Amino acid sequence: MTELRLMWRNTRMVVLCAISAALYAAVLVPFKVVPLIPGVTELRPANAIPIVCSFLFGPAAAWGSAIGNMIGDFFGGVSPGDLFGFFANLFYGFIPYKIWEIISRGEGPVIRSPWIAVKYFAACLAASVLCADFVGWGDNLLALRPFSLLGNVIIFNNMASAMLLSPFILAAVYPRVRRGRMLYEELMPEIKPAPMPRKTLGLALLVAGEVGAWITGNLLSTGYWTPGFLPAWMAAAPYDKSVAMIVSPFMLLAVVGLCLM
Amino acid sequence: MKTTLYIERDSFVHRLHPTAKVFGLFVVFWSIYWVDNPLALMPLALIVLAIALMMGAWENVYRFRWFFILIIVPTMLTWMLFYRVGKPLITLPPFYVSEASLMFGFGRGLKVGALVLASVLFLSGTKVEELAVGLSRLGLPYRLGFTITLAFRLVPLFMESALTVVDAQRLRGYDFDAGGPFERIRRYVPVVVPVFMGALRKANNMAMALEARGFGRTHRPTSFIEYRMHPRDAAAFAFLLALGAVSFWIYYSGLGAIPTG
């Protein structure tokens, strides 16, 4: 994750970060297509932008995704839960290119074969699940909304845009950006990739953490699972304390995995 | 289309130091967070509404009137699915309708609504530059603050360019509203690609312009606008601290809790 800090020294990366953020917000605000939960979330074509930018601009896209989502929130009002939204979107923009570095074997993210499509799907799904986990976990910790509400809707929302829109945008812009030598690897040659075994361990921890958080978050927040080892006052609705006790370690595991990648 | 909620006025809130405004938002969030009971939350919501009237932000509050209802009702219904506490009043599956679940659901809805109301107020009286100054005084790195400001400035440009592309495509007979939700998402590809490429063309020039102006030479750059603390800011800090303390006392004394009997 050191590149998330290093990129701030590079003026081009700072500009690309602002551009990613502005593009995300510019598509986010006017093009809210279909409300999924009125007042909470809607089907957002803009969610395709962080995925596309991630493959192109790497760490700049991660910060851009976080800032772009913040700008979108500022257009419609913010709440303490948006702090979790900021970091969730940071991960949403950070994970795709990090996973792609591990599983791509040097190929570009433009879908030219079924096998690339599978890998692309996996990278987007991992990003969407951690993003959803983080927002669901945060909102349930604050007892604003149950994990199972946002935790599932966001996965669906992100994946819909990532699968229906991003591949087409990538196919159009990736070759041009590569020809223009504006991919993050070219702009920041100082980024030294971690050794493969370490990155693979990081990926395993990330997947274990986010899947664990998603399963336990859903079970706890719907009341289907009441852990016997927790005192009754902790395991009661709105389940904020049980989510804090059980889901938080999985979230930590996922973040440790990201740090290793 | 407006991309910020800022309203130009000369009210006491507008004249406050940016740090006092950011601190104010934090304290109001804190105060709302500790109170669950809708009856105990009402006075706080009324204070926020009164400030909205005094600072001339009513037009933004009015603009968001349906949004507030859309936030409160689904939040209330969602919690009535999961908050299964107290003796049921009527059987209405899958909702659990008891006095406690009604109070809790309405309290959560009102809480989320009050949080958004407070943020609408904050955004009505705070410029983007002030937000960046306020956050940087609270420890946000300069480059991140600069990027947020730059992204905010770029959003209207990109949005305008996106809307121009939409108009151009409509003139050619392209229907963005045809088909189901997924088809409608896919139809945004011809909008996003030109906007994306147009934005990237600006990136290099922008980076050169920034470096030509000495961007990144120092961590403590001078600013064109200097904000100074005034006695009114000290009064605002005192009021906010008192508000935060009273809210915490309401929580601590149990007056802000919801009876679960």
Side-chain angles (χ1 to χ4, degrees):
Chain A
M1 276 176 121
T2 47
E3 62 259 45
L4 284 179
R5 186 170 44 82
L6 288 177
M7 67 139 275
W8 292 106
R9 295 182 190 165
N10 186 315
T11 309
R12 266 170 189 73
M13 291 297 274
V14 171
V15 169
L16 287 174
C17 172
I19 284 182
S20 307
L23 273 171
Y24 187 20
V27 185
L28 190 67
V29 176
F31 304 120
K32 294 185 171 182
V33 184
V34 180
L36 289 175
I37 302 169
V40 179
T41 191
E42 59 284 309
L43 212 53
R44 308 201 296 188
N47 287 10
I49 303 287
I51 297 282
V52 174
C53 290
S54 177
F55 289 118
L56 303 174
F57 313 133
W63 285 110
S65 167
I67 295 169
N69 182 69
M70 189 183 86
I71 294 173
D73 288 338
F74 268 63
F75 186 77
V78 291
S79 76
D82 292 329
L83 187 66
F84 293 97
F86 182 88
F87 288 103
N89 275 276
L90 181 78
F91 297 143
Y92 184 56
F94 183 69
I95 293 173
Y97 86 90
K98 290 305 286 184
I99 291 188
W100 197 255
E101 281 177 356
I102 300 170
I103 62 175
S104 70
R105 294 170 191 246
E107 293 161 319
V110 179
I111 298 175
R112 296 185 200 283
S113 69
W115 183 229
I116 294 180
V118 170
K119 289 196 274 190
Y120 173 85
F121 178 83
C124 294
L125 185 64
S128 302
V129 171
L130 190 62
C131 176
D133 281 351
F134 216 82
V135 178
W137 172 69
D139 265 27
N140 209 144
L141 275 188
L142 298 174
L144 293 176
R145 295 183 191 98
F147 180 100
S148 50
L149 179 75
L150 288 174
N152 296 312
V153 169
I154 292 174
I155 294 177
F156 169 78
N157 210 347
N158 288 352
M159 285 307 287
S161 298
M163 297 314 294
L164 294 171
L165 209 50
S166 303
F168 299 101
I169 302 172
L170 268 174
V173 301
Y174 185 84
R176 295 174 194 179
V177 173
R178 194 174 54 188
R179 274 201 304 276
R181 303 173 69 86
M182 287 184 76
L183 294 176
Y184 69 96
E185 299 105 316
E186 307 227 33
L187 294 175
M188 288 188 71
E190 67 269 31
I191 300 177
K192 297 279 178 282
M196 200 43 137
R198 187 182 135 173
K199 288 204 282 192
T200 312
L201 174 67
L203 179 59
L205 291 182
L206 169 71
V207 173
E210 63 180 22
V211 172
W214 183 75
I215 292 170
T216 53
N218 271 299
L219 290 175
L220 289 167
S221 67
T222 48
Y224 278 108
W225 180 40
T226 309
F229 53 87
L230 286 183
W233 64 273
M234 267 193 172
Y239 310 111
D240 49 340
K241 293 168 192 75
S242 52
V243 164
M245 293 299 291
I246 311 279
V247 181
S248 302
F250 287 110
M251 299 303 298
L252 186 66
L253 190 68
V255 174
V256 169
L258 274 181
C259 292
L260 289 174
M261 287 163 71
Chain B
M1 183 181 273
K2 271 179 77 175
T3 48
T4 65
L5 296 174
Y6 182 73
I7 299 171
E8 190 74 56
R9 294 276 191 282
D10 191 30
S11 73
F12 68 100
V13 175
H14 286 77
R15 286 195 297 271
L16 285 175
H17 190 278
T19 312
K21 291 182 193 179
V22 174
F23 183 68
L25 183 68
F26 168 75
V27 169
V28 174
F29 279 180
W30 159 278
S31 305
I32 293 168
Y33 177 73
W34 288 114
V35 184
D36 286 340
N37 194 318
L39 293 175
L41 206 56
M42 276 303 184
L44 197 60
L46 288 176
I47 290 175
V48 178
L49 263 179
I51 295 173
L53 273 175
M54 282 191 279
M55 66 179 279
W58 184 251
E59 67 177 77
N60 274 344
V61 176
Y62 186 75
R63 210 168 101 194
F64 275 77
R65 64 194 184 283
W66 295 114
F67 188 68
F68 290 126
I69 294 168
L70 279 174
I71 281 185
I72 292 170
V73 176
T75 307
M76 184 178 163
L77 292 175
T78 305
W79 279 113
M80 282 166 62
L81 285 171
F82 300 112
Y83 193 82
R84 295 174 174 270
V85 174
K87 197 178 162 194
L89 298 172
I90 49 166
T91 312
L92 192 69
F95 298 105
Y96 191 85
V97 187
S98 67
E99 197 183 327
S101 75
L102 278 170
M103 283 278 272
F104 188 85
F106 183 59
R108 289 295 135 162
L110 199 63
K111 192 180 247 195
V112 176
L115 291 169
V116 175
L117 176 64
S119 74
V120 168
L121 230 68
F122 172 76
L123 299 171
S124 302
T126 312
K127 291 178 188 163
V128 178
E129 300 81 6
E130 292 179 339
L131 173 71
V133 169
L135 290 174
S136 70
R137 291 282 175 95
L138 294 170
L140 187 82
Y142 164 71
R143 284 181 172 231
L144 184 54
F146 172 83
T147 309
I148 292 172
T149 316
L150 178 62
F152 261 106
R153 292 267 168 263
L154 290 173
V155 172
L157 286 178
F158 294 162
M159 219 185 253
E160 198 183 308
S161 130
L163 292 172
T164 307
V165 177
V166 166
D167 286 344
Q169 298 286 14
R170 282 215 169 105
L171 274 174
R172 291 182 179 100
Y174 195 80
D175 186 2
F176 288 96
D177 300 323
F182 295 121
E183 173 62 21
R184 279 157 72 180
I185 285 191
R186 209 182 57 75
R187 286 182 163 260
Y188 280 90
V189 175
V191 177
V192 177
V193 172
V195 176
F196 208 102
M197 291 317 295
L200 287 186
R201 269 183 226 116
K202 291 186 176 77
N204 255 332
N205 290 342
M206 238 190 276
M208 281 191 279
L210 280 174
E211 281 174 350
R213 284 167 173 79
F215 180 75
R217 291 274 298 165
T218 168
H219 290 292
R220 287 185 169 276
T222 52
S223 172
F224 182 64
I225 311 167
E226 291 291 340
Y227 296 94
R228 291 181 195 289
M229 284 281 182
H230 293 281
R232 61 173 175 262
D233 297 309
F237 274 112
F239 170 76
L240 290 167
L241 285 172
L243 182 69
V246 167
S247 301
F248 189 73
W249 175 78
I250 290 174
Y251 159 77
Y252 194 71
S253 64
L255 289 172
I258 289 174
T260 52

